[in-house]
Amino acid sequence: MYHYSSVRRRSVEARWAVRRRLRSARWGLLKPRTRAAWASWADDLYNRRADAIHDEVWRAQAAGEDTAMMVLPVGDPAMPFTEVAPEPVGLSESARRRRALAERVCDALVNPLPAAMWHGEADVIALHVMPARVGDDPEMLRPFSDAPGVVERGGPGALRVASGSGGVVLRVHGPSWSLVFRVTPVVDVIAVFLDASSRYGWRVEDDTDSRELIQDAVTRVVEEAARYGWGGDKYAPPVSPVA
């Protein structure tokens, strides 16, 4: 005779408890009885759950509570630094190349082309970004130490937060460097661009010696960017267009 283990029994009980909670939730929807209605039902259910979670996080942040979720200002027109901003006056040629390449890599991470598609310089990352360790060049340490402060001070074009099929990508421009990294679905691409090597960038490999510095910089940049997102202390509600 087969007996349930205590772990399996608790797991089954937990699943039933979750199902009962979902049924009683205010955003619950009646399950469709036809296959044709299933797709729209699933979308509506997901949207209602997402709205409920978003509202819960918003209320907690507005009350000054700490939350595990941060809302990044993706494409928010109220951000003090927008995606398209005029280039600073007096940039050197190498600085212009470095900033342009960082933008191209950011675009490539946000909207990667299908693997089966071939087009000249489509794979910008493979062509222009080479693997490196932060400790190989002292200048590569500067973006990670300075980026959080640059985002905190803000300014036109200092930060770009973009989202697409490739996930959410942050791009930070400093005086002589640029930093690009993807945060969703995981932090898996971190690229550094320097004026001294403006024709190509560096993809940071697993660097044990500098791992703590890199992780701290990425976390602080995301936290500073989230201050401009919904619920952050620097959030500015979008202005409704005049009819």
Side-chain angles (χ1 to χ4, degrees):
M1 183 176 179
Y2 181 77
H3 295 282
Y4 279 104
S5 68
S6 59
V7 174
R8 180 178 176 83
R9 177 174 53 79
R10 287 195 298 269
S11 177
V12 171
E13 291 175 351
R15 287 199 296 271
W16 276 109
V18 170
R19 290 177 183 176
R20 286 194 297 271
R21 183 171 180 270
L22 292 180
R23 289 196 191 101
S24 62
R26 60 186 177 183
W27 36 257
L29 296 175
L30 295 176
K31 190 174 181 180
R33 295 182 178 275
T34 62
R35 289 179 177 270
W38 180 267
S40 60
W41 174 85
D43 288 342
D44 290 342
L45 182 62
Y46 175 85
N47 290 335
R48 291 195 178 217
R49 289 177 177 176
D51 289 343
I53 295 173
H54 201 280
D55 184 66
E56 181 181 351
V57 173
W58 160 251
R59 292 179 184 276
Q61 290 180 341
E65 301 176 9
D66 292 332
T67 61
M69 182 182 297
M70 291 183 291
V71 182
L72 290 173
V74 178
D76 190 340
M79 273 179 40
F81 24 66
T82 57
E83 291 186 9
V84 181
E87 293 283 356
V89 179
L91 285 178
S92 64
E93 186 62 29
S94 59
R96 293 181 185 278
R97 282 198 304 266
R98 179 257 303 171
R99 292 167 67 98
L101 180 57
E103 296 291 350
R104 291 180 61 196
V105 170
C106 181
D107 291 335
L109 290 175
V110 171
N111 294 305
L113 292 175
M117 184 178 294
W118 182 89
H119 182 272
E121 288 195 353
D123 196 347
V124 178
I125 298 176
L127 288 170
H128 298 287
V129 182
M130 296 180 289
R133 293 167 62 88
V134 174
D136 292 345
D137 184 352
E139 288 299 315
M140 292 184 66
L141 296 173
R142 188 176 300 278
F144 297 101
S145 60
D146 295 354
V150 169
V151 177
E152 181 182 10
R153 290 188 296 272
L159 171 69
R160 177 185 174 191
V161 184
S163 175
S165 59
V168 177
V169 181
L170 281 74
R171 187 272 299 141
V172 185
H173 281 325
S176 61
W177 52 264
S178 295
L179 178 64
V180 177
F181 60 91
R182 179 163 53 195
V183 295
T184 62
V186 293
V187 181
D188 61 346
V189 177
I190 303 175
V192 174
F193 305 86
L194 305 172
D195 282 356
S197 54
S198 59
R199 298 187 185 278
Y200 47 87
W202 305 100
R203 178 170 178 168
V204 177
E205 297 294 305
D206 187 12
D207 193 336
T208 304
D209 296 336
S210 305
R211 183 178 300 170
E212 186 175 347
L213 171 67
I214 296 169
Q215 291 177 343
D216 181 65
V218 169
T219 300
R220 291 174 58 198
V221 168
V222 171
E223 289 176 347
E224 289 296 334
R227 297 178 66 187
Y228 294 92
W230 194 28
D233 63 305
K234 294 185 178 181
Y235 174 73
V239 179
S240 300
V242 178

